[in-house]
């Protein structure tokens, strides 16, 4: 059974930093692209960042570019999101998700999420 | 950036009825569209990929259709566990985006 478990969410002051982790089990982690997707309280979903296999390619939403860094450790089956210069608008539940593709790309499965709250 | 507009924002229906949810793209996304279901306090769950292919374990009452700019998720014979928020997501061009969601609530 595939499981993704996020951790690292916390209450942090604006301008601060936080590192999220996502531990993956039940699949060959190194074979998959991974993404972080967030959801502000009561709002919809926003893709944040992605990383390719071997970490050779990364990309970011404009809203976080230059502040967030995605990385992975295939030996530890783990995905990370380093978040710096946090803003109030970064407050959200952050989900890690496995990317699947066959022409198009979709996300499955997702972790249960970890809450990041940025106080202004 | 391609904008996905979902309608209606809220759908009030009774168990056993049919739900028809719309997702319209600001430009073509071919068939590069997925649908997700999210229940309160839970992560989204994939329902449909490639516009019309059901994900593993998804009941046949969920059906996706459409291509280009207009897509529909149909849930026939609503079950109590189907009342949730539904999102569409495209992967046609960068950046991938989600619709704002349609809430299917019990009438």
């Amino acid at each position: 059974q595939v499981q993704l478990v996020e951790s690292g969410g916390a209450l942090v002051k604006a301008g601060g930093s936080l590192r999220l982790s996502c531990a993956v089990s039940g699949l060959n982690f190194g074979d998959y692209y991974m993404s972080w997707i967030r959801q502000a309280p009561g709002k919809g979903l926003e893709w944040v960042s992605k990383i390719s296999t071997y970490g050779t390619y990364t990309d970011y939403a404009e809203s976080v570019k230059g502040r967030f860094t995605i990385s992975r450790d295939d030996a530890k089956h783990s995905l990370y999101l380093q978040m710096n210069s946090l803003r109030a608008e970064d407050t959200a539940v952050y989900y890690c998700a496995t990317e699947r593709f066959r022409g198009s790309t979709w996300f499955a499965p997702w972790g249960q999420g970890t809450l990041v709250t940025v106080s202004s | 950036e391609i904008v996905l507009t979902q309608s209606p924002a809220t759908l009030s229906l009774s168990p056993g009825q049919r739900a028809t949810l719309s997702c319209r793209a600001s430009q073509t996304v071919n068939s590069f569209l997925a649908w997700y279901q999210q229940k309160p306090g839970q992560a989204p769950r994939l329902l449909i990929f490639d516009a019309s292919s059901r994900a593993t374990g998804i009941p046949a009452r969920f059906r996706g259709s459409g291509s280009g700019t207009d897509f529909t998720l149909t849930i026939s014979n609503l079950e109590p566990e189907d009342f949730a928020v539904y999102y569409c997501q495209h992967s046609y061009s960068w950046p991938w985006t989600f619709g704002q969601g349609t809430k299917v609530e019990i009438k």
Side-chain angles (χ1 to χ4, degrees):
Chain A
Q1 180 184 352
V2 180
Q3 241 186 335
L4 289 74
V5 180
E6 300 95 335
S7 60
L11 172 63
V12 62
K13 290 184 178 180
S17 298
L18 212 53
R19 188 194 196 207
L20 305 183
S21 300
C22 171
V24 180
S25 60
L27 56 73
N28 193 356
F29 178 71
D31 288 345
Y32 293 91
Y33 283 45
M34 299 293 296
S35 276
W36 287 98
I37 298 159
R38 68 184 180 184
Q39 186 170 37
K43 302 296 184 183
L45 300 165
E46 179 190 18
W47 171 83
V48 173
S49 182
K50 71 177 291 178
I51 187 167
S52 67
T53 51
Y54 305 106
T56 50
Y57 168 80
T58 61
D59 206 349
Y60 302 89
E62 284 299 322
S63 57
V64 306
K65 199 170 287 187
R67 300 187 297 122
F68 289 12
T69 303
I70 191 171
S71 62
R72 65 190 296 159
D73 185 333
D74 290 349
K76 294 184 177 179
H77 282 224
S78 291
L79 176 72
Y80 306 100
L81 186 68
Q82 178 66 44
M83 304 187 295
N84 298 331
S85 303
L86 282 162
R87 305 168 179 167
E89 54 265 35
D90 295 321
T91 294
V93 174
Y94 284 73
Y95 298 99
C96 61
T98 306
E99 288 190 19
R100 311 276 182 160
F101 52 86
R102 189 184 75 186
S104 70
T105 300
W106 58 93
F107 302 105
W110 300 51
Q112 85 290 348
T114 188
L115 176 62
V116 173
T117 304
V118 183
S119 63
S120 54
Chain B
E1 172 175 312
I2 295 175
V3 176
L4 298 179
T5 302
Q6 292 187 241
S7 62
T10 304
L11 202 49
S12 298
L13 295 168
S14 300
Q17 288 191 296
R18 171 179 294 191
T20 303
L21 288 67
S22 172
C23 177
R24 177 164 289 178
S26 58
Q27 60 193 79
T28 185
V29 297
N30 200 331
S31 294
F32 291 8
L33 194 96
W35 289 94
Y36 302 86
Q37 176 194 68
Q38 187 179 33
K39 297 179 182 179
Q42 296 185 17
R45 177 178 71 143
L46 176 72
L47 298 175
I48 302 287
F49 63 93
D50 287 349
S52 60
S53 298
R54 267 191 308 277
T56 303
I58 302 303
R61 64 180 181 273
F62 291 90
R63 188 173 73 90
S65 61
S67 66
T69 61
D70 290 303
F71 300 86
T72 300
L73 175 69
T74 303
I75 313 170
S76 55
N77 194 18
L78 278 165
E79 297 284 346
E81 62 267 27
D82 298 336
F83 291 91
V85 180
Y86 293 84
Y87 294 95
C88 56
Q89 169 247 324
H90 86 87
S91 57
Y92 184 74
S93 62
W94 207 247
W96 303 327
T97 55
F98 292 86
Q100 82 281 12
T102 290
K103 181 179 182 180
V104 179
E105 65 176 23
I106 299 176
K107 188 174 182 179

